[in-house]
C-alpha cells in the first residue's frame, strides 16, 4: 500500500505545483499591459489548467479546455487584437481595488458552499443514490454505448445538445463576421485601410 | 524514477514561465509558449504513469497536435496579419 500512498502524495504535490503555476500566470496577466503577452499567457493558463483537469480525472472538460482555451481562443484573441491597440490603458487606483474585493467575496462564498458538499466518492451522496444509478444501469442495455456521459449527451439529452450546437453555431458565425471572412467584415476593412495608408506612404516617399 | 522526471519537468516549466513572463521580444514569448506546451504534454504522460493509467498518453498526443497548430497559427498571424492567406502564397509580405 506504500506505493499507492506514495503515488497519492506525488499527485497532491503535482496539483499544488500546477495551481501555483496558474496563480503566477494569473497575477502576471492582471499586471501586464502588453496585450500580446497577455494572449500568450492566457494560452499557457488554459494549457496548464487543462492538465490540472486531467489530473483531477475530468478528461472531457480538459479536452474542451485544451481545444477551445489554448487553441481557438488564442487565435481569436489575436484576430481581435488587430482591431484594437497593442497595449492596454493603465488603470486608475480605485478600479483596481473594487474587482479584488468582488473576487475575494465570490471566492469566500464558493468556499462556504463547499462545506455542504458530500465527500469525494461518498456512496450516500445524491449523485450516487438518485437518478444517476438508473442511468448507469440502463444505458448499456438500452443503447449499448459504453461511455455513459456520451450516451446522456447524445441520446437521452439529444434535443438539448442540438439546441446547444445551434447556439454555438450562431456565436461562431458572429465571431467570423466580426473578425475574419468576407469583404465587408470588420477585419477585412481594417486590413484594407492599412494597405491603402501604406500605399499612400509609399507614393509620398517616391 | 518517474517522480524525478516529474520534478525535472516542473523545473523546466518554471524556467519557461520566467521566459514567457519577462521575454523582451514577441518571439521569445512564442517560443516559450510552444516549449512550455511541450513540457506540459510530457508532464501529462508522466502523470499518467504516476497514477498507473498509461492511456493518458493518448490525451497528450492530442495536446501535442493542438499545441503545434496553435503555434503555426500565431506565427502565420504575425507574418500576414490574417488567417485567410495560404502559407504558400507569394507576394506582399510573403516569401519573395
Amino acid at each position: 500500500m506504500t506505493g499507492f500512498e506514495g503515488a497519492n502524495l506525488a499527485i497532491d504535490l503535482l496539483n499544488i505545483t500546477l495551481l501555483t503555476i496558474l496563480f503566477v500566470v494569473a497575477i502576471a496577466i492582471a499586471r501586464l499591459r502588453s496585450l500580446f503577452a497577455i494572449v500568450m499567457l492566457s494560452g499557457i493558463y488554459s494549457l496548464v489548467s487543462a492538465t490540472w483537469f486531467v489530473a483531477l480525472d475530468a478528461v472531457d472538460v480538459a479536452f474542451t479546455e485544451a481545444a477551445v482555451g489554448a487553441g481557438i481562443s488564442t487565435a481569436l484573441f489575436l484576430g481581435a487584437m488587430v482591431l484594437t491597440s497593442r497595449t492596454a490603458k493603465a488603470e486608475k487606483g480605485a478600479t483596481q481595488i473594487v474587482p479584488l474585493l468582488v473576487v475575494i467575496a465570490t471566492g469566500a462564498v464558493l468556499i462556504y458552499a463547499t462545506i455542504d458538499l458530500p465527500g469525494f466518492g461518498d456512496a450516500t451522496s445524491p449523485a450516487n443514490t438518485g437518478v444517476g444509478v438508473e442511468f448507469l444501469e440502463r444505458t448499456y442495455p438500452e443503447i449499448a454505448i459504453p461511455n455513459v456521459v456520451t450516451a446522456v449527451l447524445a441520446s437521452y439529452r439529444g434535443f438539448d445538445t442540438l439546441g446547444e450546437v445551434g447556439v454555438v453555431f450562431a456565436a461562431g458565425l458572429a465571431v467570423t463576421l466580426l473578425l475574419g471572412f468576407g469583404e465587408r467584415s470588420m477585419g477585412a476593412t481594417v486590413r484594407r485601410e492599412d494597405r491603402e495608408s501604406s500605399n499612400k506612404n509609399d507614393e509620398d516617399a517616391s | 524514477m518517474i517522480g524525478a522526471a516529474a520534478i525535472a519537468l516542473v523545473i523546466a516549466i518554471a524556467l519557461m514561465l520566467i521566459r514567457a513572463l519577462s521575454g523582451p521580444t514577441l518571439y521569445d514569448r512564442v517560443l516559450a509558449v510552444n516549449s512550455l506546451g511541450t513540457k506540459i504534454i510530457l508532464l501529462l504522460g508522466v502523470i499518467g504513469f504516476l497514477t498507473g493509467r498509461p492511456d493518458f498518453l493518448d490525451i497528450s498526443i492530442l495536446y501535442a497536435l493542438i499545441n503545434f497548430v496553435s503555434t503555426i497559427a500565431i506565427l502565420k498571424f504575425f507574418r500576414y496579419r490574417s488567417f485567410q492567406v495560404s502559407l504558400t502564397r507569394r507576394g506582399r509580405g510573403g516569401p519573395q
Side-chain angles (χ1 to χ4, degrees), chain A residues 21-22 25 29 37-51 69-70 74, chain B residues 13 16-17 19-21 29 32-34 36-37 40:
Chain A
I21 294 172
L22 286 181
V25 173
I29 288 176
I38 291 175
V39 170
M40 292 289 99
L41 286 175
S42 67
I44 290 178
Y45 189 91
S46 295
L47 210 59
V48 175
S49 61
T51 310
T74 305
Chain B
I13 286 173
M16 293 303 155
L17 206 59
R19 177 49 69 200
L21 294 182
R29 290 205 163 102
V33 168
N34 187 22
L36 196 138
I40 288 283

Side-chain angles (χ1 to χ4, degrees), chain A residues 30 33 45 53 55-56 63 69 72 80 84 88 103 124 130 158 165 171 174 177 181-182 200 204 206:
Chain A
R33 293 268 77 89
Y45 189 91
F53 290 153
L56 288 180
F63 263 146
I72 297 293
T84 61
V103 166
T124 59
V165 171
L177 282 176
F181 301 97
K200 193 182 280 177
D204 290 348
S206 65

Side-chain angles (χ1 to χ4, degrees), chain A residues 185-203:
Chain A
S185 74
M186 213 169 149
T189 310
V190 168
R191 276 193 295 278
R192 201 182 310 124
E193 281 166 3
D194 269 7
R195 203 173 307 141
E196 276 160 13
S197 68
S198 73
N199 282 349
K200 193 182 280 177
N201 287 344
D202 290 349
E203 282 163 19

Side-chain angles (χ1 to χ4, degrees), chain A:
Chain A
M1 286 306 284
T2 50
F4 182 69
E5 279 162 13
N8 261 353
L9 178 69
I11 290 302
D12 283 347
L13 282 178
L14 265 179
N15 280 340
I16 293 170
T17 314
L18 289 174
L19 285 175
T20 313
I21 294 172
L22 286 181
F23 183 76
V24 171
V25 173
I27 295 287
I29 288 176
R31 295 199 64 82
L32 278 174
R33 293 268 77 89
S34 156
L35 286 181
F36 176 75
I38 291 175
V39 170
M40 292 289 99
L41 286 175
S42 67
I44 290 178
Y45 189 91
S46 295
L47 210 59
V48 175
S49 61
T51 310
W52 184 49
F53 290 153
V54 173
L56 288 180
D57 230 348
V59 176
D60 48 341
V61 184
F63 263 146
T64 315
E65 181 65 39
V68 175
I72 297 293
S73 68
T74 305
L76 288 181
F77 281 148
L78 286 176
M81 214 175 72
V82 172
L83 305 179
T84 61
S85 65
R86 291 292 179 96
T87 52
K89 286 178 193 152
E91 279 161 26
K92 299 186 189 80
T95 54
Q96 287 178 331
I97 302 292
V98 176
L100 184 68
L101 290 180
V102 170
V103 166
I104 288 175
T106 315
V109 168
L110 286 175
I111 289 172
Y112 175 69
T114 58
I115 297 172
D116 279 346
L117 285 179
F120 186 72
D122 186 5
T124 59
S125 70
N128 288 334
T129 53
V131 73
V133 182
E134 194 89 342
F135 275 118
L136 285 178
E137 281 169 358
R138 283 171 49 182
T139 299
Y140 199 74
E142 277 181 0
I143 42 181
I145 295 176
N147 188 331
V148 181
V149 175
T150 310
V152 170
L153 271 179
S155 176
Y156 291 117
R157 238 181 60 180
F159 280 115
D160 185 54
T161 306
L162 184 66
E164 276 176 23
V165 171
V167 170
V168 171
F169 177 72
L173 204 61
V175 168
T176 42
L177 282 176
L178 275 175
L179 296 183
F181 301 97
E183 274 298 294
R184 306 184 70 169
S185 74
M186 213 169 149
T189 310
V190 168
R191 276 193 295 278
R192 201 182 310 124
E193 281 166 3
D194 269 7
R195 203 173 307 141
E196 276 160 13
S197 68
S198 73
N199 282 349
K200 193 182 280 177
N201 287 344
D202 290 349
E203 282 163 19
D204 290 348
S206 65

Side-chain angles (χ1 to χ4, degrees), chain B residues 11-82:
Chain B
I11 293 171
I13 286 173
L15 293 175
M16 293 303 155
L17 206 59
I18 292 170
R19 177 49 69 200
L21 294 182
S22 65
T25 71
L26 194 150
Y27 298 102
D28 285 323
R29 290 205 163 102
V30 173
L31 195 58
V33 168
N34 187 22
S35 155
L36 196 138
T38 314
K39 302 296 177 293
I40 288 283
I41 290 155
L42 292 173
L43 186 67
L44 206 55
V46 168
I47 289 176
F49 283 104
L50 266 181
T51 52
R53 293 192 299 179
D55 44 329
F56 279 8
L57 279 181
D58 295 346
I59 301 169
S60 53
I61 288 171
L62 187 94
Y63 279 24
L65 287 176
I66 291 171
N67 193 31
F68 176 70
V69 169
S70 66
T71 305
I72 293 289
I74 292 165
L75 289 177
K76 179 180 175 183
F77 192 82
F78 276 95
R79 192 77 173 88
Y80 300 105
R81 312 238 311 152
S82 163

